[in-house]
Amino acid sequence: MIKQKILVTGGAGFIGGNFVQYAVNKYPNYDIYNLDLLTYAGDLTKHRVIEQQENYNFIKADISNREEIMAIFKKEKIDYIVHFAAESHVDRSITDPEIFVRTNVIGTQVLLDAAREIGVKKFVHVSTDEVYGELDFDPSSFFTEETPLQPNSPYSASKASSDLLVRAYHETYGLPMNITRCSNNYGPYHFPEKLIPLTISRVLNDQKVPVYGDGNNIRDWLHVYDHCAAIDLVLHEGENGHVYNVGGHNEKTNLEVVQTIIKTLGKSEDLIEFVKDRLGHDKRYAIDPTKLERLGWAPTYTFDTGIAQTIQWYLDNKEWWEQIISGEYKNYFEKQYTLKGN
Ligand code: NAD
Ligand code: TDX
């Protein structure tokens, strides 16, 4: 039997890493290639459990390096691409936008050229609801696949640019593709610069938790396992050229998220410190997932079950996040935040 070759970019990061583990275990008859540059956000220790499996392969490479990527595609004759690799943190895009353009825009274009050159069967581009901009606080308003793109941060502008390139390669060259736009993910292996793992790790160390502005901005939370199942479905069943929104109607204010974590860990809300707001801070994101539900997807986690599972995972896997926050991350944190407490 000829094995299908699936190239997963960014498979050493948070969502890509969870997807690689999901796919390696679910599809022993597929060869999974994890292609990743191993930036500050990528680590391979998370794959110790699967790295001996025959259908798992790792390639260290930079998606914005054209020669390198072309050579890999030609050598491996890739059938499918699931593209996660990106600079993903909004705050970093505010202090240093350039790398976001290089990785998210140029990197995607290089992959598209390579995919076109060898004629892949499908290119699944993992994007974000942030490309739609922000919603107001009217609870009946949602992002649909038809909502115009109005990105507000350098990060979301770079993601929207990559979405438009994927669309253009489909329209111009007939490249088979899907774009997925999901809401905020959380779960195992989430890098502790993002709100939920940052809060869990700091609360466990009795350190102050920085909440931007008044804490009333709303995010729509999606457990990463539900996201992996959605991408699997789109890869296999998504209609060529279509965009699919992924989200499970789990809207929470940032303050509610932080309070839930503090309460679950039995700590005091005195740990909350309100700090200067993020520049251009989007008020609210909320996804209408009807189109993906029609394809057969439904989330299995509510916010309550998902956050309980996630907190327990961080309690059980301290060595993973402790090695991160004790390294270069310390410098990042000191530059990013000026807290009155410790
Ligand atoms: P992450 O930052 O945890 O991981 C990104 C991975 O990409 C890392 O392993 C990193 O080493 C790799 N990478 C970065 N630059 C690279 C390059 N030039 N070449 C090869 N690899 C490179 O990101 P994440 O949170 O897992 O997000 C994955 C994707 O999902 C991104 O495209 C992001 O825009 C999108 N997304 C994330 C969320 C979320 O809540 N985290 C929500 C919606 C969409
Ligand atoms: O220290 C913090 N304090 C705080 O109040 C941090 C890091 C964040 N926040 C707020 C900002 C946001 O309103 O919490 C909310 C969530 O922030 P992040 O975890 O940085 O996520 P967000 O900016 O919403 O973007 C995430 O979801 C969409 C991912 O990082 C993106 O990659 C994805 O596209």
Side-chain angles (χ1 to χ4, degrees), residues 253-314:
T253 68
N254 294 335
L255 195 53
E256 284 169 332
V257 169
V258 171
Q259 285 168 331
T260 303
I261 295 169
I262 288 176
K263 191 166 170 218
T264 309
L265 291 172
K267 300 287 175 110
S268 160
E269 287 194 13
D270 291 345
L271 287 176
I272 296 172
E273 185 168 324
F274 291 95
V275 300
K276 197 160 83 55
D277 210 352
R278 173 185 279 176
L279 297 177
H281 195 173
D282 286 337
K283 286 202 252 323
R284 173 173 168 255
Y285 306 139
I287 282 278
D288 175 352
T290 310
K291 185 173 173 184
L292 188 64
E293 284 170 353
R294 282 204 203 103
L295 203 64
W297 177 83
T300 58
Y301 286 93
T302 61
F303 185 74
D304 288 348
T305 58
I307 197 70
Q309 185 271 353
T310 302
I311 292 171
Q312 191 57 50
W313 188 90
Y314 278 80

Side-chain angles (χ1 to χ4, degrees), residues 13-15 36-37 39 42 61-63 84 88 127 155 159 182 185:
F14 163 46
I15 310 175
D36 199 295
L37 182 60
T39 68
D62 180 348
I63 56 165
F84 294 93
S88 69
S127 188
Y155 162 71
K159 291 296 292 186
C182 68
N185 280 221

Side-chain angles (χ1 to χ4, degrees), residues 47-63:
H47 292 322
R48 275 189 199 131
V49 278
I50 55 158
E51 67 194 2
Q52 298 308 327
Q53 281 177 230
E54 219 180 286
N55 61 339
Y56 173 74
N57 307 274
F58 175 70
I59 302 170
K60 184 171 180 200
D62 180 348
I63 56 165

Side-chain angles (χ1 to χ4, degrees), residues 88 128 130 155 184 194-195 210 212 219 254 278 281 337:
S88 69
T128 169
E130 297 197 17
Y155 162 71
N184 285 57
K194 309 282 169 56
L195 180 69
Y212 297 159
R219 296 294 181 263
N254 294 335
R278 173 185 279 176
H281 195 173
Y337 299 97

Side-chain angles (χ1 to χ4, degrees), residues 9-17 35-43 46 61-64 83-89 99 102-104 107 125-130 155 159 180-186 189-191 193-194 221 227:
T9 71
F14 163 46
I15 310 175
L35 184 151
D36 199 295
L37 182 60
L38 301 181
T39 68
Y40 79 92
D43 90 288
K46 58 170 67 91
D62 180 348
I63 56 165
S64 62
H83 174 36
F84 294 93
E87 287 294 331
S88 69
H89 192 33
I99 184 71
R102 195 176 329 137
T103 299
N104 301 358
H125 178 61
V126 180
S127 188
T128 169
D129 59 2
E130 297 197 17
Y155 162 71
K159 291 296 292 186
T180 60
R181 297 189 179 130
C182 68
S183 55
N184 285 57
N185 280 221
Y186 68 105
Y189 298 116
H190 202 181
F191 195 85
E193 66 190 350
K194 309 282 169 56
W221 293 96
H227 189 196

